[in-house]
Structures are given as C-alpha cells and as structure tokens.
Amino acid sequence: MEKINKKAVIYIRVSSKIQQENLSLDMQLFKCKEYCQKNNFDIIEIFCDVESGGHDDREQFNKLLSIIPEKKFDFVVVYEISRISRKMSTGAKFFEELERYQIGFISLKENITNRMLLNIYLSIADNYRIEASERKKSNNLARLKQGLKGSGIAPLGYKYEKGKFVVDEEKVELVNNIFLSYIETKSVIGVSRQFGLSEAGVRHLLENRTYIGELPHGRTLYNLYGDKVESKLQFFKGQHEAIVPLEIFEEVQKIRNMSYKTYSSKDYNSYF
C-alpha cells in the first residue's frame, strides 16, 4: 500500500520589512520547508505576514485561522512559536482551534510536548511584547525631552526629516490663515468649509502646540463630535521652529475656551 504523506501549512512572520538576519522571512521559510521535506510532509499552502505579533488583524494569520475547521492539513509548521502571536490570549485561542480539529503544531525552535510548555512559551512571547512596548514608550519620551519627535507623522506646515520636524515653507501661510480665519469668524464649521478640512481636523490644528515650538507627550480624549473632553499631555520644548506667533495661538485658545463654556451651556449657535 502506498504511504500517504501528511499535509502541512507553513506560517512565517516578521514585524517589519526591515528584517533581522536571524529571523528573516527567507530564513524561516527555508527552515520550515527543509523540515517538511525531511519528514515527508506535503506543503499545501504558505502564509506570510509582515506585521507585529502584537496585532490580531493580520491578514494571512486570520486566513489560516479561518480554514482550520476545513481540516485540509494535518500540521501547522512555524520556525518559532512567537511567529504565531506575541499575545498570550491570541496564541491560546489559536491552539484551542488546532486541538478542537485535531491538527498538530510544530515549532522548529521549541519542543512543545504538552499544554503546560505551550503556555510557558506563550507567556514568554507575551512578556516580550509588553517589554518591547514599554521600551518604545521610554525611548519616545527620552527623544521628546531632547526636543525630537518619536514618529514620522508631521502636522500641516511641517515635514518629518531625520528625527525632527522641519518647516514646510509652502504650507506656513496656509496654517497661519487658518488661525487668523478662526479669530475672525470664531467658527470651526466656517473654517472647515473655507479651507476644505474636517471639523475635527480644524479643532485639532487650532489646539496643536507644535505650532508654537512644543512637543506633546501623552494623549487627549475626544467625544464623538471631535471635542476635547480630557487631556493627559505633557509638553516639551522642541528643536523645531515655531510657525504660528504665540500671541495668535493664545488668542485662539481664549476663543476656544469660551466656545467650550458656551457649548456646555447648550448655546449651540454660539459654539459653531
């Protein structure tokens, strides 16, 4: 009787396109294919994500998860367990699905023989994710204290170059015109229509202290209408150039504060 080979799928993942040499997609795929060939597994599909293991909305991972009930394969093969997920809850859900449909799991780097070992490895991966997140936050805060921005998202009027904001000369006049228009009209809706911006975008721009040379750290909470309801922000002196005069920015804030008070008293016409 002819021996029927077991069927396998391979899952590989890196967090970004800048791959580490010892964990690149090519290396993972080579090792997994090599294992399958040595064990006479027929590879029926390869799933590949370039996405953080802390995210659950990975396209190929979710595709793999969705076809488990079809039982078209006998094993899932990965280079190491953290490729599946850096979150313990997500990893546990994935392995429960494999167990439910009696599909095996093979990690080349870890020899997983029981659920206890599996939970240990998942816990290690989850702890790595948490520590990496804390390191990123700490590094961003350290950069902010030096006046440097931690991400590449620049507000209107700036560009992000070499770790800091630089003035976008073509947009400076536009930004200042938005501030001046609001002082004149005292209307977010009017400004948004005049300049083709969303109302929430106008509110955020008018309250953005980046324009006076500062950098924020923390977060601001907004309601469904785009209005600020809570602010947990610290501000640091940035290395970038201010493009809105301080007196204009402060005048806008006075009007904004009056608008919030008016809004809270239900005088909607005055607010808008």
Side-chain angles (χ1 to χ4, degrees):
M1 179 181 292
E2 184 180 354
K3 184 178 179 181
I4 301 176
N5 290 348
K6 294 289 187 180
K7 296 178 180 178
V9 298
I10 293 172
Y11 180 77
I12 58 178
R13 180 187 66 79
V14 292
S15 296
S16 69
K17 293 181 180 179
I18 305 174
Q19 302 172 18
Q20 301 175 21
E21 289 185 6
N22 65 337
L23 206 56
S24 70
L25 292 175
D26 289 340
M27 186 281 292
Q28 293 177 52
L29 183 58
F30 174 81
K31 292 290 186 181
C32 290
K33 279 186 172 181
E34 184 180 52
Y35 178 90
C36 291
Q37 289 169 359
K38 286 181 179 178
N39 290 275
N40 296 317
F41 288 176
D42 290 335
I43 302 169
I44 65 169
E45 194 163 358
I46 296 168
F47 300 89
C48 173
D49 280 314
V50 180
E51 184 65 73
S52 169
H55 297 163
D56 290 343
D57 58 347
R58 287 170 278 145
E59 180 181 353
Q60 291 292 295
F61 174 73
N62 287 328
K63 181 181 178 183
L64 170 58
L65 190 60
S66 71
I67 65 172
I68 288 175
E70 299 175 12
K71 297 190 67 174
K72 292 182 177 180
F73 49 90
D74 304 293
F75 293 97
V76 174
V77 180
V78 301
Y79 177 70
E80 66 176 25
I81 194 171
S82 65
R83 300 305 88 199
I84 292 297
S85 181
R86 291 276 186 195
K87 292 174 66 176
M88 190 169 183
S89 58
T90 303
K93 176 184 175 183
F94 179 80
F95 291 110
E96 284 174 4
E97 283 293 284
L98 293 183
E99 287 182 347
R100 181 178 303 165
Y101 295 99
Q102 298 181 322
I103 295 173
F105 177 79
I106 297 170
S107 170
L108 305 189
K109 196 172 180 182
E110 301 99 356
N111 181 24
I112 300 173
T113 57
N114 57 49
R115 170 63 77 158
M116 181 178 293
L117 278 175
L118 173 62
N119 287 338
I120 290 173
Y121 284 121
L122 286 173
S123 179
I124 292 172
D126 194 47
N127 187 64
Y128 176 90
R129 175 184 62 86
I130 294 171
E131 288 184 349
S133 176
E134 291 302 317
R135 284 196 301 271
K136 183 177 180 180
K137 290 178 182 177
S138 179
N139 289 339
N140 284 343
L141 180 56
R143 286 179 59 80
L144 285 168
K145 288 180 178 179
Q146 296 173 37
L148 299 171
K149 191 72 174 70
S151 71
I153 302 175
L156 182 66
Y158 291 98
K159 299 176 183 178
Y160 185 77
E161 295 180 1
K162 298 180 180 180
K164 65 178 182 179
F165 293 149
V166 295
V167 176
D168 183 350
E169 298 292 348
E170 296 181 357
K171 302 293 177 59
V172 172
E173 184 177 359
L174 171 61
V175 171
N176 278 276
N177 285 342
I178 291 172
F179 275 83
L180 293 173
S181 178
Y182 181 75
I183 291 175
E184 180 181 352
T185 64
K186 299 178 176 58
S187 170
V188 168
I189 291 179
V191 173
S192 70
R193 289 173 179 172
Q194 180 181 352
F195 294 95
L197 302 171
S198 69
E199 294 171 32
V202 171
R203 293 189 183 102
H204 179 70
L205 184 148
L206 294 173
E207 296 171 1
N208 192 341
R209 300 185 70 87
T210 301
Y211 292 118
I212 56 172
E214 297 180 359
L215 291 172
H217 174 69
R219 62 175 182 169
T220 300
L221 302 180
Y222 296 87
N223 62 21
L224 292 175
Y225 304 101
D227 304 313
K228 182 169 63 177
V229 294
E230 184 180 359
S231 180
K232 297 181 178 180
L233 292 176
Q234 295 175 272
F235 294 95
F236 300 95
K237 177 64 178 176
Q239 291 189 17
H240 63 284
E241 179 184 346
I243 62 174
V244 174
L246 181 60
E247 60 270 20
I248 291 178
F249 185 86
E250 290 182 341
E251 179 64 22
V252 165
Q253 304 321 303
K254 290 178 183 178
I255 299 171
R256 298 292 296 141
N257 290 333
M258 290 174 59
S259 296
Y260 285 127
K261 292 177 181 178
T262 305
Y263 179 67
S264 64
S265 66
K266 306 299 183 181
D267 186 352
Y268 297 100
N269 291 327
S270 295
Y271 176 72
F272 291 111

